[in-house]
Amino acid sequence: MSNLTPTPATAAPKTASPAQSVETGKTEINDAVVSKVAGIAAREVRGVHALGGSAGRAIGALRDRVGQTNHAQGISVEVGETQVAVDVTLTAEYPVSLQDVADDVRSAVSKAIEDIVGMEVAEINVTIADVYIPSDDDDDSDDSRVK
């Protein structure tokens, strides 16, 4: 057996120099994809009842009934080369803290866009357009005075 010591060229892993790197092409992510990622993240926040204004929610309810949920409802995005700006319109549940809901939505949407899309978030504007209050119509009990 020979007692050979490895040379640095064989012992160290090869690293490509900038001149040796290969361009693989350009990745383009559609604005609709970014909107959908933001919408899914915002819906998962505790205290968010629905996304969008009243007209958007009415149309969304019809879509849900036929099985075509619009995950980007209530979301507007502006996508640049490396940054994204997001506007979220939502209905919050009563009696949650509206500031907490807005902060949690910002955090969830920012994390999702950075983790999934891989872009930096420049700003997230949250508009709370309504507050959902469970009404007596939602109860299964019969409180009618007459039968």
Side-chain angles (χ1 to χ4, degrees), residues 8-17 20:
T10 59
K14 292 185 179 180
T15 57
S17 67
Q20 294 174 335

Side-chain angles (χ1 to χ4, degrees), residues 25-31 33:
K26 180 180 178 184
T27 301
E28 205 170 303
I29 300 173
N30 197 328
D31 292 7
V33 173

Side-chain angles (χ1 to χ4, degrees), residues 118-133:
M119 297 182 80
E120 179 184 342
V121 178
E123 67 178 17
I124 300 174
N125 300 307
V126 177
T127 301
I128 300 176
D130 200 358
V131 175
Y132 173 76
I133 303 169

